Amino acid sequence: MEATIERDCSALGGLFQAIINDMKNGTPLWEDFISKTAKLHTQYKATIIAMSAWLESFQKIADSATNARGATKEIGSALTRMCMRHKSIEIKLKSFTASLMDCLVFPLQEKIEDWKKITTQLDKDHAKEYKKARQEIKKKSSDTIRLQKKAKKGKMDVQYKLDSAMQEVTDKYLLLEEAEKSAVRNCLIEERGRYCTFVTLIKPVVDEECSMLSETTHLSTILDDIMEQVKDPFTLPKASEQVILDVKGQENKWSFPVSFLQLFV
């Protein structure tokens, strides 16, 4: 029985060490993720600056179309709506970019330092408890061997002590097995907890991303409207035709420069 428990304890100890090694080897992965996320944050900040300048230029084009002499006002209004929707995306992009650092990088950096300490302590505590249990088993096993030698010499009063000592060895092995199971269980919980924490940290970032991407549905609607307006560039809208009619008799308001009229003389 002791041999079977010995093998089980050895297997559990090996599993524990494998999990500890996985967590230790995982530290560079977490650190690399933090580094890449910080770089992504920097790139998004640069994108925001470029996007802001682009939207400013975009708005000037929209204003130009709105303030033109009647043929493009509705196009200018649609372009302004498109520009405003892009500005909403810009705001959401800023929130998403900020969340990369505030919700993910900074908290994860703190967690990694804690995880390193926890992993080291788990390994240290396990080694200490395992060594202590093995020493107790070794001592009890030595007592058993000593009593077995006495029993072989025919000392009948030793048999009770021998049975008691052998039971103690078995009990010590069972205690070691339970301790190993508990150590492995705690180690597995710690490992799982880290990934659960990661999911918790990345959730608000993904929420911000989804919120930003949801703005594209509004862009699609605006784009459909503006494409309807520009589908026939050679046909003026009614409002533009009205401008032509209204300008008749308003030569005092609308007149060619003299220098231009001289070209026709």
Side-chain angles (χ1 to χ4, degrees):
M1 181 177 179
E2 286 83 358
T4 301
I5 300 176
E6 173 75 21
R7 289 195 298 270
D8 291 343
C9 289
S10 178
L12 289 168
L15 177 57
F16 174 89
Q17 201 58 54
I19 299 169
I20 286 291
N21 291 337
D22 286 344
M23 288 194 287
K24 288 181 177 179
N25 294 334
T27 298
L29 300 179
W30 296 118
E31 292 174 341
D32 180 67
F33 178 79
I34 286 176
S35 175
K36 295 301 192 298
T37 304
K39 288 180 180 179
L40 180 63
H41 174 263
T42 300
Q43 292 299 318
Y44 272 125
K45 286 187 69 176
T47 299
I48 290 169
I49 294 173
M51 186 175 185
S52 180
W54 178 74
L55 288 175
E56 183 178 351
S57 179
F58 190 167
Q59 186 60 63
K60 289 178 181 179
I61 297 295
D63 292 343
S64 175
T66 301
N67 297 326
R69 307 304 178 187
T72 58
K73 188 172 184 178
E74 81 288 354
I75 297 176
S77 297
L79 287 174
T80 296
R81 290 197 303 274
M82 181 177 287
C83 186
M84 294 303 294
R85 187 53 63 184
H86 273 93
K87 287 182 179 179
S88 296
I89 294 175
E90 180 190 17
I91 293 172
K92 297 293 181 65
L93 179 58
K94 287 179 179 178
S95 296
F96 167 70
T97 302
S99 71
L100 286 172
M101 298 301 291
D102 297 338
C103 301
L104 192 55
V105 171
F106 294 146
L108 193 55
Q109 282 177 331
E110 295 179 1
K111 290 293 183 182
I112 287 177
E113 293 305 314
D114 291 339
W115 291 345
K116 288 179 181 178
K117 295 176 183 177
I118 291 171
T119 302
T120 301
Q121 194 62 45
L122 282 172
D123 197 14
K124 183 178 179 180
D125 291 345
H126 174 261
K128 180 180 178 181
E129 293 300 322
Y130 186 82
K131 182 179 179 180
K132 180 181 177 182
R134 294 297 303 181
Q135 286 176 342
E136 290 179 354
I137 289 174
K138 184 178 180 180
K139 182 177 181 300
K140 292 296 181 181
S141 295
S142 297
D143 293 342
T144 301
I145 293 172
R146 180 173 52 82
L147 290 170
Q148 283 176 339
K149 290 179 179 179
K150 288 184 179 181
K152 287 180 180 180
K153 293 179 180 180
K155 296 181 179 181
M156 300 304 296
D157 59 327
V158 177
Q159 188 61 46
Y160 174 78
K161 293 180 179 179
L162 176 60
D163 293 341
S164 178
M166 292 180 65
Q167 184 60 49
E168 286 187 20
V169 171
T170 301
D171 292 342
K172 290 293 183 181
Y173 269 117
L174 291 173
L175 287 174
L176 176 59
E177 183 181 20
E178 289 303 315
E180 288 300 284
K181 288 180 180 178
S182 178
V184 169
R185 190 176 294 110
N186 290 337
C187 210
L188 289 169
I189 290 173
E190 175 62 28
E191 184 181 42
R192 177 180 173 81
R194 296 182 181 188
Y195 290 101
C196 291
T197 297
F198 177 71
V199 172
T200 301
L201 293 178
I202 205 172
K203 181 184 181 300
V205 177
V206 177
D207 285 341
E208 291 289 352
E209 184 181 22
C210 291
S211 178
M212 176 182 66
L213 294 175
S214 67
E215 292 290 334
T216 58
T217 57
H218 303 294
L219 270 180
S220 298
T221 302
I222 294 173
L223 183 61
D224 290 342
D225 291 343
I226 197 171
M227 290 308 297
E228 181 66 24
Q229 293 172 5
V230 302
K231 66 180 181 180
D232 186 2
F234 301 104
T235 301
L236 289 173
K238 292 181 179 179
S240 298
E241 293 290 351
Q242 189 61 44
V243 169
I244 296 173
L245 296 174
D246 291 345
V247 80
K248 291 181 179 180
Q250 296 184 20
E251 64 275 6
N252 293 331
K253 182 177 180 181
W254 303 98
S255 60
F256 290 114
V258 175
S259 58
F260 180 81
L261 292 174
Q262 288 175 347
L263 295 175
F264 297 95
V265 176

